[in-house]
Every structure is written in structure tokens, then in C-alpha cells.
Amino acid sequence: MKIRLLTAILCMFAASVAVAAGPVPTGTVSGKFLGEGKVPLSKGSVVLFRRGSGPPPAPDRYWLVPDHVETMDDDGRFTVTVEEGTYFLAAIKRNDHLEIGPPRAGELFLIAADDKGKLLTFDVKGNGAVNVGTIGGARPISKETGMMRPGATAIEGRLVDGEGKPVEGAVVFAFTSQEMQGKPLYVSERSDSYGKYLLRVAEGGKYYLRVRSAYGGGAPDEGSIFATLGGDVPAAVSVTSGEVLKDVAIPVGRFERPIKGKGKR
């Protein structure tokens, strides 16, 4: 699956909202990213976060679900079509280019910022074109990024199947409303071999958790990992700013499509 297709799947999170509201004007963002030594970020991915849809991106504290992900060419160049709005811009060079979650240790990452470290934003107008020029300095993510830091806010626990066995390789999404519609706000790193997950968030509050084996909106694939904390009636977890809410176990299952006229199998 190519990143372009994954971008389309990501956009499906908010598809129902977009259809109800009607067409939204779009524009383009283009530019070029460089890694260390001014080497083009060949086949990296440009990642855009829309301002106002959540807190500013801060990968050393939490990972937001991006609004757009697009593959760069061999020279680190990109052109992305986005809805009218203001965006933060980042770049990732993956070890596995199909993964679009939080950057892992050793992968190259960069958020567009000024010389003082202040994040830059880019305004996109309908039918407009924004060229951000060349942005350099993508560096390897350290092992410390993604680890808990003093004062961090997070939810952690285990994913287990019906027999209590750990579920590895799934991600946990955090929504801020019980309806759990549209794009989730945060996402965890993938669960480890013990089923442990760590979902970092920007601040305390109530969150509704959903587990999937992959990114993307729309109906899950048959047999894929899928669960909502609380089941048919999503249950909230409450976390306090600066604290880690521990031992939040989430029972997970495999998605099964209902048989017409017979309910779920």
C-alpha cells in the first residue's frame, strides 16, 4: 500500500463531516526537505497537521493523528493538495515507509520551525499555491523520544484478547467525544509483545479509546484487530495533566461483518 493511498484512507475519518458540509476549497503546499549534510530526504513523507484541530505537534511529548501524509520524490520534493486552512509542516524518513504512526528511534524527523525553535505555520487559500522552499535539518529520532518524561500526561495499559493473552502490533486512538466520529486526536505507538501500549496526550481530560491494527477510517478489514473501550457504549477514561493513568486494560477482538438478517456472527 502506498502512502498516497494511506493519505486517502486517513481523510476518510472526516468524510461524513465533509459530505454534510459540502465541498471545501483546496490549495496546494509544495517544497523540498533535506536531511543531514543537505542530502535530499529521498522517498520520505511530508506530514501536515491542521492548526486548530488540536494542540500544536510535539513528537517528544505526544503524537497527533496527521491530517495529510504524502510521499516525497527522490529529491525530497513534494506537492500536497489540502483543504483551505493553516498547517504545521513536518517530514519523516521511515525505516519502513508504509508505517505512518509516531516516528521510531533512528528514523529521520523534522518539524518546520524558525531559528529559535518556534513552529512555523503555512496558510493555504482556496485555489492558492504555497511554496515553502527548501527546509533542511531532518535528524534521527533519539531513543528518548517517545519515552515518558517527568510531567508527561499519558494513558498506559495492555491490550488482551478473549483469553487474556497479549495483543501485539495494534495502535490505540484517543477521541475527545463519545460519538468517536471524525479524525481521532492522538495515537499511541504500537503495542509490544506483552500487549503494552503507551498513549501520550497533551493535557488531562476525558478520552475515549479505540484500538485498531492499522491507521485509517472506514470499516475495518475482516479479521483485523478492532475494539472500543466500553464496547457498544464507549466509556471515558479520565487522566490528570502531568500524570500517567496506568493499568487501563482494553479487551480486543477481531472484526466480523454482520450476516444480513442474522446479526453478528
Side-chain angles (χ1 to χ4, degrees), residues 17 37 45 54 136 208 239 248:
V17 176
S45 298
Y208 298 85
V239 58
V248 181

Side-chain angles (χ1 to χ4, degrees), residues 174-181 183-186 206-208:
F175 293 78
T176 55
S177 68
Q178 190 176 33
E179 291 75 17
M180 303 180 82
Q181 296 180 352
K183 185 172 69 68
L185 187 55
Y186 304 102
K206 288 185 177 181
Y207 297 98
Y208 298 85

Side-chain angles (χ1 to χ4, degrees), residues 13 159 170-175 177-182 184 186-188 199 207-213 216 218 220 225-229 231-232 234-235 250 252:
F13 273 124
L159 306 181
V171 291
V172 182
F173 293 102
F175 293 78
S177 68
Q178 190 176 33
E179 291 75 17
M180 303 180 82
Q181 296 180 352
Y186 304 102
V187 64
S188 72
L199 175 60
Y207 297 98
Y208 298 85
L209 309 184
R210 174 165 291 161
V211 182
R212 295 188 69 154
S213 52
I225 297 169
F226 185 80
T228 298
L229 182 64
D232 293 338
I250 307 177
V252 304

Side-chain angles (χ1 to χ4, degrees), residues 37-237:
K38 298 184 178 180
V39 176
L41 212 60
S42 174
K43 298 300 184 183
S45 298
V46 58
V47 183
L48 290 94
F49 304 92
R50 186 166 185 163
R51 190 176 71 177
S53 62
D60 59 328
R61 294 177 52 215
Y62 50 81
W63 184 255
L64 300 171
V65 174
D67 291 277
H68 294 273
V69 181
E70 190 74 32
T71 302
M72 304 174 200
D73 65 16
D74 291 338
D75 294 322
R77 299 182 186 278
F78 63 89
T79 299
V80 186
T81 299
V82 297
E83 293 181 352
E84 185 176 72
T86 302
Y87 294 86
F88 299 97
L89 190 64
I92 301 176
K93 175 67 174 180
R94 297 283 188 186
N95 296 328
D96 175 1
H97 73 282
L98 297 181
E99 176 62 66
I100 59 173
R104 301 176 181 180
E107 295 180 335
L108 302 181
F109 184 78
L110 172 68
I111 294 182
D114 63 18
D115 293 339
K116 296 182 180 180
K118 182 179 179 180
L119 299 186
L120 299 176
T121 57
F122 302 92
D123 296 319
V124 181
K125 304 296 184 183
N127 299 317
V130 177
N131 189 329
V132 304
T134 299
I135 301 175
R139 292 180 173 82
I141 286 286
S142 68
K143 292 182 179 180
E144 287 73 27
T145 299
M147 297 176 63
M148 292 307 302
R149 298 188 176 190
T153 307
I155 303 162
E156 70 175 26
R158 295 180 69 230
L159 306 181
V160 295
D161 64 16
E163 298 178 351
K165 296 179 180 179
V167 175
E168 182 180 5
V171 291
V172 182
F173 293 102
F175 293 78
T176 55
S177 68
Q178 190 176 33
E179 291 75 17
M180 303 180 82
Q181 296 180 352
K183 185 172 69 68
L185 187 55
Y186 304 102
V187 64
S188 72
E189 286 81 3
R190 291 191 178 276
S191 57
D192 64 18
S193 59
Y194 298 98
K196 183 178 178 180
Y197 70 88
L198 176 63
L199 175 60
R200 300 173 296 151
V201 297
E203 59 186 4
K206 288 185 177 181
Y207 297 98
Y208 298 85
L209 309 184
R210 174 165 291 161
V211 182
R212 295 188 69 154
S213 52
Y215 272 69
D221 293 332
E222 183 79 12
S224 65
I225 297 169
F226 185 80
T228 298
L229 182 64
D232 293 338
V233 181
V237 293

